């Protein structure tokens, strides 16, 4: 992949919303989305989900996600396989 031009590489763009800015202080992901762009193809959303942060949702004023919104959502550890599949072979 080192000699592959960027325009010929698949690319994945990750977008997250979190409960705060410091994982060290307990901040967690509450929403995860992945857009994949394969060479010659239109961008497509390959993953878009709320995430249960296993604690209170903070920063609701910023992202609009509440504690009630994440009830029943998967926890991050359940999404690692989907995330790996979405980014397989791509520049992240």
């Amino acid at each position: 992949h080192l000699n592959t031009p960027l325009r010929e590489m698949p690319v994945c763009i990750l977008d997250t919303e979190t409960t705060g800015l410091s994982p060290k202080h307990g901040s967690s992901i509450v929403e995860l989305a992945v857009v994949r762009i394969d060479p010659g193809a239109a961008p497509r959303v390959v993953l878009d989900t709320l995430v249960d942060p296993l604690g209170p949702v903070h920063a609701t004023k910023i992202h609009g996600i509440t504690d009630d919104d994440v009830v029943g959502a998967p926890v991050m550890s359940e999404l690692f396989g989907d995330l790996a599949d979405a980014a397989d072979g791509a520049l992240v």
Side-chain angles (χ1 to χ4, degrees), residues 15-19 27-32 50-53 76:
D15 180 50
T16 61
E17 296 295 343
T18 64
T19 61
S27 298
S28 298
I29 293 173
V30 293
E31 185 175 31
L32 173 65
L50 291 170
V51 180
D52 184 342
M76 195 61 211

Side-chain angles (χ1 to χ4, degrees), residues 6 9-13 35-39 90-92:
L6 185 57
M9 295 182 69
V11 175
C12 276
I13 301 164
V35 173
R36 184 173 176 112
I37 307 166
D38 289 297
L91 176 66
V92 178

Side-chain angles (χ1 to χ4, degrees), residues 22-71:
S22 177
K24 185 171 155 182
H25 293 104
S27 298
S28 298
I29 293 173
V30 293
E31 185 175 31
L32 173 65
V34 178
V35 173
R36 184 173 176 112
I37 307 166
D38 289 297
R44 60 192 170 97
V45 176
V46 293
L47 182 61
D48 184 11
T49 185
L50 291 170
V51 180
D52 184 342
L54 298 174
V57 174
H58 300 291
T60 297
K61 287 183 181 179
I62 295 170
H63 49 59
I65 299 168
T66 67
D67 290 319
D68 290 341
D69 292 332
V70 298
V71 170

